[in-house]
Amino acid sequence: MKEQEYILIENYLADDLTAKELGDFEDKLRTDLEFRETFETYQQVSDQLKHEFTHYSEKEAVKKSIDKVANTYFEKKKEQPKKSSFKPWRIGVAAMILILVGIYAYQEFSTPVYSDYNQYPTVSFQSRGEESESLREAEEAFNSHQFAEAATHFEVLVKGNDNVEYKLYWAISLVETDQFEKADQLYLDILKSESVFVHEALWFGALSKLKQEDNKAASQLLSQIPEESDRYKEAQKLYKKLN
Amino acid sequence: MSVQKAHPDQKYIEGLKQDNSFVIREIYDKFAPKVIHFICQNNGDDAQAKDVIQEVLLVIYDQACIKDLKLTCPFDAYFFLLCKRRWYNKLKKKKLDTVTIKEEIVSEHEGANHLEFETSLFQDQQELFKRMFGELGKSCQDLLKKSFEIDSMKKVAEKLDISYAYARKKKSLCIGKLTEMIQNSPHYKNLKS
């Protein structure tokens, strides 16, 4: 019974029914709901089969086209950097940069103080006969930052020998122990001496004024350090900060 | 099918149907970013988005060919909804029940919801059909494949070394068998359109 129905439906779809058969078929479709449902499902199945097998190559071609476009699209997408995806580590990096900028700005724009500059290289004086003992002691005291002791030794040395270099280190030691008046006097002496220590005297004289919080006087001394001096860059930097 | 006038975006459906690479590229350029973004926001990645988009385009293609799909809403809304649904179903299959999708799978566009429902139904019907075809006897499978690959039943009969009349009868009985199997499937009732 069902088999006959399928053969009939197939012939109907193939447009292969006589006029009488067609009339009966259409009547049955209208009146027999179960038959109608079978017919509709049969037709759907038939359409699916046609799509799957008759148009197989067309579907494969579309699949290939989609594949190709998709691959190109996603390759291109991969190459582009993500616009604004949130990454927690970026906050870390940003914070680090902020801190570094902060430190730089602090150093660059904060009011400079004496303790930012009072770093001295280890001194080593050449032995000069009878002075050698005092000189060694002065050297040791200065290098170990015993400035009061160093000042005493340099004072003795300067009294025995009007050496500009000794005067400089005596002055530095005096500034370290807050004896500014004598120190500034010594710097002035050195400036008048026209020796190789003039630039150093200007620099350390300025630091003395800085420690006394006399920025104007410090600036005035710094501004006299000429371009050819080793202290020039340092002096300019400090000068800019003070002004 | 609806008798409503097709939306201007029908051009995307037609382009896909005609295997027009320019249109396919346009679909990717215009509509893929939203889908990729959605999937990446919901436990997925680019590769998974790529699969979803390809699968959805093929379903649209199938429906366009078999059912003469007519777009009654913007392609964007329809396509996005289909991709969302497909991704949601994949998550469910992976048993990621704990995952809550960030949005409801409903479009603001009423027409899109309706059309998406039709396409999803079509897709389920297609899957049922494929599964049942696989369960069909081998002789029926072979005869049906040949019947639809080759446009003349006479040639099919020659190829299978059977009479023309028998080939025709067998074809209708095989399709009938498949029809029955589908109608008897527990899923069939849910899939009646």
Side-chain angles (χ1 to χ4, degrees):
Chain A
M1 165 58 196
K2 273 271 183 192
E3 286 192 0
Q4 278 311 306
E5 278 184 0
Y6 298 141
I7 292 166
L8 210 59
I9 294 172
E10 184 60 34
N11 287 340
Y12 171 79
L13 292 175
D15 214 4
D16 207 8
L17 291 180
T18 63
K20 166 85 176 63
E21 282 171 331
L22 187 63
D24 290 348
F25 187 88
E26 282 170 347
D27 275 348
K28 200 173 161 80
L29 270 185
R30 267 193 299 274
T31 54
D32 187 341
L33 281 180
E34 203 185 320
F35 177 70
R36 192 188 167 87
E37 199 181 318
T38 301
F39 167 74
E40 279 170 358
T41 310
Y42 186 102
Q43 198 179 18
Q44 275 177 25
V45 169
S46 192
D47 286 344
Q48 279 279 1
L49 287 165
K50 202 194 267 177
H51 181 63
E52 288 298 319
F53 302 117
T54 311
H55 303 296
Y56 176 79
S57 55
E58 282 103 312
K59 186 170 174 171
E60 283 307 298
V62 169
K63 255 190 204 169
K64 265 188 199 156
S65 302
I66 294 174
D67 249 10
K68 213 170 145 188
V69 172
N71 288 338
T72 318
Y73 181 84
F74 279 90
E75 276 306 310
K76 215 167 80 188
K77 188 176 173 290
K78 227 187 262 173
E79 286 163 20
Q80 287 168 348
K82 283 195 175 177
K83 269 181 202 158
S84 64
S85 63
F86 174 78
K87 288 201 174 69
W89 61 264
R90 287 193 177 161
I91 290 182
V93 171
M96 192 60 83
I97 290 168
L98 210 63
I99 290 166
L100 291 175
V101 167
I103 291 170
Y104 177 77
Y106 177 78
Q107 288 180 339
E108 211 53 27
F109 304 112
S110 63
T111 315
V113 290
Y114 177 75
S115 57
D116 294 335
Y117 298 94
N118 65 339
Q119 283 127 29
Y120 313 106
T122 307
V123 291
S124 174
F125 299 99
Q126 281 184 338
S127 177
R128 290 177 180 87
E130 73 279 10
E131 288 170 358
S132 61
E133 188 58 24
S134 302
L135 196 57
R136 198 184 50 77
E137 283 172 332
E139 210 179 273
E140 269 179 20
F142 188 85
N143 287 339
S144 58
H145 294 185
Q146 304 297 318
F147 292 115
E149 205 195 319
T152 315
H153 289 302
F154 281 121
E155 190 179 2
V156 174
L157 284 164
V158 169
K159 276 181 182 159
N161 175 1
D162 196 19
N163 181 302
V164 183
E165 196 179 7
Y166 298 167
K167 276 188 186 168
L168 180 70
Y169 285 97
W170 182 17
I172 291 171
S173 303
L174 288 170
V175 172
E176 283 293 345
T177 51
D178 294 335
Q179 300 172 69
F180 301 115
E181 216 184 306
K182 181 65 191 162
D184 289 349
Q185 184 56 52
L186 283 167
Y187 285 133
L188 269 178
D189 284 355
I190 301 166
L191 292 181
K192 282 178 206 155
S193 71
E194 291 181 0
S195 73
V196 288
F197 295 106
V198 168
H199 300 158
E200 288 300 279
L202 284 168
W203 172 251
F204 286 108
L207 292 188
S208 168
K209 294 296 180 193
L210 185 66
K211 199 178 181 189
Q212 297 168 63
E213 292 176 359
D214 187 351
N215 291 351
K216 207 176 158 193
S219 300
Q220 205 271 327
L221 289 167
L222 289 168
S223 68
Q224 293 178 55
I225 298 176
E227 225 171 312
E228 66 267 22
S229 164
D230 292 337
R231 293 283 184 189
Y232 180 72
K233 275 188 184 169
E234 241 178 330
Q236 284 298 306
K237 243 181 168 175
L238 178 55
Y239 180 85
K240 278 175 193 157
K241 283 182 198 172
L242 291 171
N243 292 277
Chain B
M1 264 291 111
S2 172
V3 285
Q4 261 181 287
K5 209 180 156 206
H7 192 277
D9 283 355
Q10 180 72 24
K11 65 176 180 180
Y12 297 115
I13 308 285
E14 298 307 319
L16 196 57
K17 218 167 141 179
Q18 288 153 14
D19 188 15
N20 183 329
S21 288
F22 290 106
V23 174
I24 297 171
R25 206 168 302 143
E26 202 182 333
I27 292 175
Y28 271 88
D29 287 339
K30 279 192 178 162
F31 311 115
K34 196 166 151 187
V35 176
I36 297 164
H37 179 75
F38 174 80
I39 290 175
C40 291
Q41 290 288 305
N42 287 284
N43 289 67
D45 55 28
D46 272 8
Q48 288 165 317
K50 189 181 173 189
D51 288 346
V52 166
I53 292 169
Q54 279 179 287
E55 287 160 15
V56 165
L57 285 178
L58 280 174
V59 172
I60 297 175
Y61 170 77
D62 285 340
Q63 198 189 0
C65 292
I66 298 175
K67 299 248 175 175
D68 196 22
L69 172 66
K70 285 275 175 292
L71 204 63
T72 49
C73 65
F75 185 81
D76 182 25
Y78 168 65
F79 180 65
F80 183 51
L81 207 55
L82 279 172
C83 291
K84 273 211 286 195
R85 173 82 63 205
R86 198 168 187 93
W87 179 239
Y88 184 62
N89 289 339
K90 279 185 188 234
L91 287 181
K92 271 210 296 197
K93 262 189 200 162
K94 275 202 250 165
K95 296 230 162 47
L96 286 168
D97 318 69
T98 45
V99 172
T100 44
I101 219 111
K102 286 189 176 172
E103 277 176 72
E104 277 292 300
I105 308 181
V106 175
S107 174
E108 286 169 19
H109 207 288
E110 191 55 41
N113 289 319
H114 178 71
L115 210 57
E116 185 263 340
F117 177 76
E118 271 189 24
T119 301
S120 294
L121 194 71
F122 167 78
Q123 193 194 320
D124 292 343
Q125 286 169 341
Q126 209 181 18
E127 273 165 19
L128 178 65
F129 159 80
K130 282 182 184 164
R131 206 166 61 239
M132 291 301 141
F133 184 82
E135 286 178 17
L136 207 60
K138 193 169 182 310
S139 67
C140 259
Q141 280 190 20
D142 285 348
L143 182 116
L144 288 179
K145 264 189 203 171
K146 290 270 178 315
S147 306
F148 284 96
E149 276 169 8
I150 305 163
D151 57 0
S152 143
M153 279 312 283
K154 276 193 182 121
K155 283 183 192 162
V156 174
E158 275 171 33
K159 241 191 166 122
L160 294 174
D161 201 18
I162 50 175
S163 74
Y164 170 63
Y166 180 71
R168 282 193 63 173
K169 186 184 169 191
K170 178 97 172 151
K171 181 188 175 188
S172 54
L173 295 185
C174 284
I175 299 175
K177 174 79 183 150
L178 193 52
T179 304
E180 252 169 62
M181 284 163 72
I182 288 169
Q183 282 182 325
N184 293 336
S185 146
H187 300 289
Y188 174 71
K189 275 191 194 122
N190 305 329
L191 298 179
K192 271 198 278 183
S193 51

